[in-house]
């Protein structure tokens, strides 16, 4: 074996790792990207829906009454006559409703319910996209690089839908379609809309401690007119990072004989 | 295509909306409170709920109670830490008891045996110091 060959075999990987890899990973942002980033608002921090000022118990201070007052997406949508009739019919079976409600459990939510859920989130603003990263391990990707939604033959309904966005000053305009119509369960906020529902959000910081999300929902199949909702998020005190929420880690509340119970540790 | 069955859940919201973050609170009796004076057997710092296992005196010896709390994220915001309680420590804890009569309930409040608080909720003023966030 020639010395030069041995040298190559022995040291080529080291040469690659020490010279080539850093040159790739050390690539600087382009001046254009730096300028784009510098023009974007700073929404760093940890945020939580104003409807969920949770206590150590995992409940809100005012219990059910407070939630009914604060949560907006649980209110009846402005259905058209056909969908309203179905809704009214479903309201009659109070026994079934009570049973479903008593055993309700949830670790994730679909959009837009996720925006009014009990989990903290962070907003990562980049030139190409804004990410809303939730404690529930769900992420909304809002692409702001000018792309359109996928064409009809490349899109299908999902729980969070497909979102694209654009900036108007310090306001992020988010356009979401293809939201999956799920089998509805208690607290499945606004899930009972058709898969033609179209969501437009205007997300902005109204002061250093609050974000505001003006949401308009249009649905030519289910709604009589657009549904306007304003959601507010509060900067969370006392935490400087997102904390893992692994719902399966130690779930001691199984449903037994139609009721939630507590199991031993 | 939406079916009447699919609409049932939305109607349920108006019947019995529950107030806990992870699951229905129907198993807890909101109208009752029960104070336990006992010792900490274990303190589980886990998701989706933290738990305090309390040994409290019963008619035939110590009885173990399971006290459900929020998630670690919620407890941190309330000033709690993973080692806020020690095994064997005396504690006074008030709960909403289980409706089914089992030895468990939802955390309402707690102090150490001498009455001192276990945790002090963090305030807005501590955020900047904790995170270094200029805002």
């Amino acid at each position: 074996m020639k010395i030069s060959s041995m040298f190559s075999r022995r040291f080529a990987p080291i040469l690659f790792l020490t010279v080539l890899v850093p040159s790739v990973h050390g690539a600087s942002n382009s001046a254009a990207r730096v300028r784009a980033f510098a023009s974007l608002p700073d929404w760093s921090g940890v945020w939580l829906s104003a409807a969920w000022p949770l206590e150590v118990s995992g409940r809100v201070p005012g219990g059910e009454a407070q939630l009914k007052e604060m949560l907006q997406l649980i209110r009846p949508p402005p259905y058209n006559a056909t969908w309203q009739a179905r809704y009214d019919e479903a309201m009659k079976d109070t026994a079934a409703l009570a049973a479903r409600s008593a055993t309700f459990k949830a670790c994730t939510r679909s959009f837009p319910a996720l925006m009014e859920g009990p989990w903290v989130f962070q907003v990562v603003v980049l030139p190409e996209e804004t990410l809303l990263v939730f404690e529930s391990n769900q992420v909304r990707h809002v692409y702001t690089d000018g792309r359109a939604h996928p064409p009809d033959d490349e899109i299908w309904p999902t729980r969070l839908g497909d979102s694209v966005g654009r900036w108007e000053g310090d306001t992020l305009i988010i356009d979401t379609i293809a939201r999956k119509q799920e089998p509805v369960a208690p607290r499945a906020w606004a899930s009972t809309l058709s898969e033609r529902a179209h969501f437009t959000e205007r997300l902005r910081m109204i002061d250093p401690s609050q974000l505001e999300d003006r949401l308009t929902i249009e649905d030519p199949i289910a709604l009589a007119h657009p549904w306007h909702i304003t959601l507010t998020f509060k900067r969370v005190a006392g935490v400087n990072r997102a904390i893992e929420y692994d719902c399966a880690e130690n779930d001691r509340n199984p449903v037994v004989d139609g009721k939630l119970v507590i199991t031993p540790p | 295509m939406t079916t009447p069955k699919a609409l049932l859940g939305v109607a349920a919201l108006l019947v019995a909306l529950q107030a806990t973050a992870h699951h229905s609170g129907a198993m807890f009796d909101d109208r009752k409170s029960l104070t336990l004076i006992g010792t900490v057997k274990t303190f589980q710092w886990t998701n989706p709920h933290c738990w305090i296992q309390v040994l409290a005196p019963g008619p035939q010896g110590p009885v173990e109670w399971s006290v459900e709390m929020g998630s670690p994220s919620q407890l941190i915001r309330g000033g709690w830490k993973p080692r806020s309680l020690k095994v064997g420590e005396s504690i006074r804890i008030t709960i909403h008891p289980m409706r089914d009569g089992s030895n468990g309930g939802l955390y309402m409040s707690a102090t150490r045996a001498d009455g001192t608080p276990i945790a002090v909720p963090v305030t807005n003023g501590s955020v900047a110091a904790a995170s270094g966030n200029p805002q």
Side-chain angles (χ1 to χ4, degrees):
Chain A
M1 183 177 287
K2 293 181 180 178
I3 293 177
S4 60
S5 175
M6 287 177 58
F7 181 88
S8 298
R9 289 184 184 178
R10 191 170 289 180
F11 295 105
I14 297 174
L15 182 69
F16 175 77
L17 289 172
T18 56
V19 178
L20 298 180
V21 172
S23 71
V24 172
H25 290 274
S28 300
N29 286 290
S30 67
R33 188 169 192 272
V34 170
R35 280 196 303 274
F37 186 80
S39 71
L40 297 171
D42 177 7
W43 292 347
S44 59
V46 179
W47 304 92
L48 177 64
S49 165
W52 287 94
L54 288 161
E55 298 181 315
V56 168
S57 64
R59 312 181 82 178
V60 297
E64 292 182 26
Q66 180 173 338
L67 275 183
K68 283 179 180 174
E69 180 182 335
M70 295 292 291
L71 294 173
Q72 299 182 63
L73 289 166
I74 64 168
R75 296 171 186 170
Y79 285 132
N80 58 32
T82 302
W83 282 59
Q84 188 64 51
R86 292 176 178 175
Y87 179 85
D88 292 343
E89 181 64 25
M91 284 288 287
K92 294 177 182 175
D93 193 353
T94 54
L97 301 178
R100 287 167 67 93
S101 184
T103 55
F104 162 80
K105 295 174 74 174
C107 297
T108 61
R109 296 209 167 99
S110 63
F111 173 78
L114 181 60
M115 300 303 293
E116 206 174 31
W119 301 300
V120 301
F121 63 96
Q122 292 187 266
V123 187
V124 183
V125 180
L126 302 172
E128 301 82 8
E129 68 170 311
T130 292
L131 299 106
L132 283 74
V133 184
F134 288 81
E135 185 182 32
S136 58
N137 296 317
Q138 296 177 280
V139 181
R140 289 187 67 197
H141 293 267
V142 181
Y143 298 105
T144 53
D145 55 1
R147 74 180 70 184
H149 292 295
D152 287 347
D153 61 347
E154 293 179 18
I155 195 169
W156 60 93
T158 59
R159 295 187 75 209
L160 300 183
D162 185 81
S163 298
V164 295
R166 60 186 166 82
W167 290 95
E168 284 185 3
D170 285 345
T171 300
L172 178 60
I173 315 297
I174 308 174
D175 186 286
T176 301
I177 61 171
R179 201 289 306 264
K180 187 173 187 176
Q181 181 186 329
E182 299 180 318
V184 181
R187 281 196 188 169
W189 288 269
S191 287
T192 308
L193 296 170
S194 84
E195 291 177 354
R196 293 272 303 280
H198 178 206
F199 306 83
T200 306
E201 297 167 87
R202 298 181 64 86
L203 185 61
R204 67 188 181 112
M205 180 180 282
I206 52 178
D207 63 52
S209 63
Q210 295 186 94
L211 296 176
E212 178 192 80
D213 188 2
R214 291 182 178 271
L215 169 65
T216 297
I217 306 175
E218 299 165 285
D219 187 335
I221 307 296
L223 299 183
H225 56 77
W227 187 12
H228 301 286
I229 294 162
T230 300
L231 306 173
T232 306
F233 312 106
K234 302 283 190 183
R235 186 183 293 280
V236 178
V239 294
N240 60 1
R241 68 196 66 198
I243 296 172
E244 183 182 21
Y245 183 74
D246 174 5
C247 215
E249 180 187 7
N250 183 31
D251 185 355
R252 293 175 54 189
N253 299 117
V255 176
V256 176
D257 296 331
K259 292 190 299 185
L260 282 166
V261 300
I262 293 176
T263 58
Chain B
M1 183 67 184
T2 296
T3 64
K5 182 179 178 182
L7 283 160
L8 277 175
V10 166
L13 294 168
L14 303 180
V15 175
L17 179 71
Q18 300 301 332
T20 58
H22 168 234
H23 59 69
S24 164
M27 64 178 145
F28 306 116
D29 191 341
D30 289 355
R31 296 163 302 178
K32 294 181 181 175
S33 63
L34 175 68
T35 297
L36 305 169
I37 301 173
T39 58
V40 175
K41 181 182 179 186
T42 55
F43 178 35
Q44 292 188 320
W45 186 265
T46 56
N47 277 306
H49 297 281
C50 297
W51 296 86
I52 305 172
Q53 299 300 126
V54 181
L55 293 174
Q60 297 170 343
V63 174
E64 182 171 347
W65 289 75
S66 296
V67 179
E68 180 177 314
M69 308 176 79
S71 69
S73 175
Q74 291 153 17
L75 264 68
I76 285 283
R77 276 132 58 190
W80 285 68
K81 298 177 181 177
R83 283 173 282 282
S84 287
L85 293 175
K86 295 180 175 62
V87 172
E89 177 178 2
S90 296
I91 188 175
R92 180 187 182 93
I93 187 166
T94 303
I95 63 173
H96 286 308
M98 293 288 285
R99 289 184 193 276
D100 65 8
S102 59
N103 295 326
L106 182 70
Y107 174 93
M108 293 176 66
S109 62
T111 63
R112 302 193 194 281
D114 62 3
T116 58
I118 295 169
V120 178
V122 292
T123 64
N124 282 317
S126 69
V127 178
S131 67
N133 191 318
Q135 301 180 45

